[in-house]
Amino acid sequence: MNTTPPHPSDHLSEEDERLGLTTLLPPPPVPGLDPDRELLLRQTLLADAAPAGRRTARATRPRRRLVRLAVPAVACALAVGGVLVVELPEAPGPATTAVPGGGATAAPEATRLLDRIALAAAESEQPAVRPDQFVYVESKVAYAAQSAGGGPVTMPPVHRRQVWLSADGSRPGLLREAGGPDTPLGTDGPVETLDGPGATPRPSTLDASEPSISNPTHAYVASLPTDPDTLMELVRHETRGEGQDPDQRAFTAIGELLAETWAPPKVGAALYRAAAKIPGVTVVHAADDATGREGVAVARTSHGEQTQWIFDRTTYAFLGERTVLAEAGDAGPAGTVMGTSAVLTTAAVDRAGERPAA
């Protein structure tokens, strides 16, 4: 019988083989998540494509998430305070939930409302924003949370959110939310690379990316085309492959531009007219923002959740957003609020951390 002890390299080879096989397996599913929420969770970590099949999440523009799910501890530990780079297989996009008013364009009532909103936006006044300034947006927000094991969501109290974004993208911005530390925003944020399941995160760098629909600067937004058809084509092109369905991706992207950028009047009007071309957009006649201001909403439903953009009934000014469950599920009954926001102040300031004059 051969009693020769195994060489250390034999153990290393077997371990390498096991690790290699592990990386071929898909990540374990998070219990209690339907396919669309699992995609939203992935999007929190996997925002942009990078070389060698790697996907990255950038800490440039603070993405607001109307649904915040409790994720496994390892993901939380890596994602908080930096950028997580992790290799995962691409998930197929889910099918769109059928919605009332679908078709080639938004429902006629929504199209008429969006046209009135666009006219009001085009006639609004906005002071010039210098390239060296910051766009300041102050809002009140609250996002529902759900445990990884499922169950009803819980909604924390509404809190204040302030963000300063460099107008031309050349300087770090700042995110300040009540109850948390200030978060610098910029392309030079910390990055941790995870080469595979079970691997040790290693420090790395992330190259700056050009401004885009998903990562805009004020200068980029100001340069957007004002023809609605051209603008919609650009939005669809830049949001392709980001999960959900193409129409919901476009609706979500335009909503984020409305909520936390400062679009010039003509661009703002074009965004609203572009939204009128999205199938499944409807009107909600009464909706409250995060501060209780009631208005009329433009909405779209996908995968059991309805996203609402809320506007003042008289001036048609954008008030905020709300996401509610469109159907009952493990998260709660239909009508459960999953996220809410209210825009309070938008202005140009000279420094990150500076508040506009009263």
Side-chain angles (χ1 to χ4, degrees):
M1 181 175 65
N2 185 7
T3 59
T4 304
H7 192 273
S9 61
D10 296 334
H11 291 296
L12 181 59
S13 177
E14 292 175 2
E15 181 65 20
D16 287 344
E17 184 177 355
R18 283 196 296 271
L19 285 175
L21 290 173
T22 301
T23 60
L24 297 177
L25 297 174
V30 179
L33 297 184
D34 59 37
D36 189 48
R37 288 191 186 161
E38 188 167 353
L39 277 175
L40 287 175
L41 177 58
R42 288 172 183 268
Q43 289 169 8
T44 305
L45 302 177
L46 312 176
D48 302 292
R54 180 178 299 157
R55 301 199 172 272
T56 63
R58 298 176 182 268
T60 50
R61 178 172 177 260
R63 303 296 294 274
R64 301 172 318 115
R65 298 292 178 188
L66 293 182
V67 180
R68 289 185 175 175
L69 301 175
V71 298
V74 62
C76 290
L78 293 174
V80 173
V83 178
L84 174 67
V85 180
V86 59
E87 294 181 355
L88 289 177
E90 186 75 18
T96 307
T97 300
V99 294
T105 60
E109 184 182 17
T111 301
R112 291 192 296 270
L113 175 58
L114 283 165
D115 184 62
R116 291 195 292 269
I117 293 170
L119 288 173
E123 295 173 357
S124 63
E125 295 183 0
Q126 182 189 106
V129 181
R130 301 193 313 268
D132 62 333
Q133 287 187 303
F134 290 81
V135 171
Y136 169 79
V137 180
E138 180 178 346
S139 57
K140 291 289 185 73
V141 302
Y143 307 109
Q146 183 182 33
S147 69
V153 299
T154 57
M155 177 67 74
V158 171
H159 66 273
R160 186 170 69 174
R161 172 184 170 97
Q162 299 166 283
V163 62
W164 291 261
L165 298 172
S166 173
D168 64 0
S170 65
R171 293 183 292 169
L174 181 66
L175 171 64
R176 180 176 294 164
E177 292 201 58
D182 286 0
T183 303
L185 302 173
T187 56
D188 56 351
V191 179
E192 295 286 338
T193 297
L194 188 64
D195 293 319
T200 301
R202 56 183 173 82
S204 61
T205 59
L206 187 65
D207 295 333
S209 61
E210 293 297 320
S212 65
I213 292 293
S214 299
N215 185 32
T217 62
H218 178 77
Y220 175 83
V221 175
S223 71
L224 288 175
T226 55
D227 175 73
D229 292 314
T230 304
L231 181 55
M232 177 53 69
E233 183 179 356
L234 176 64
V235 170
R236 290 189 181 278
H237 174 75
E238 293 204 5
T239 59
R240 67 191 188 281
E242 292 186 0
Q244 304 175 352
D245 62 87
D247 295 324
Q248 188 64 20
R249 289 199 302 263
F251 190 80
T252 299
I254 292 174
E256 290 189 345
L257 290 174
L258 296 173
E260 217 155 66
T261 66
W262 204 13
K266 290 184 179 180
V267 173
L271 287 169
Y272 293 123
R273 291 193 169 103
K277 300 178 179 297
I278 300 174
V281 177
T282 58
V283 173
V284 176
H285 294 278
D288 294 343
D289 70 8
T291 62
R293 296 178 299 190
E294 186 188 62
V296 60
V298 173
R300 191 174 192 279
T301 303
S302 180
H303 297 286
E305 293 183 2
Q306 185 179 79
T307 302
Q308 304 171 354
W309 304 342
I310 306 171
F311 299 89
D312 184 277
R313 294 181 183 278
T314 303
T315 66
Y316 297 116
F318 180 80
L319 299 180
E321 282 185 314
R322 188 170 71 163
T323 294
V324 300
L325 291 181
E327 56 192 43
D330 69 323
T336 299
V337 178
M338 304 294 286
T340 181
S341 70
V343 177
L344 304 181
T345 304
T346 305
V349 296
D350 294 332
R351 294 177 300 278
E354 175 187 359
R355 297 190 63 184

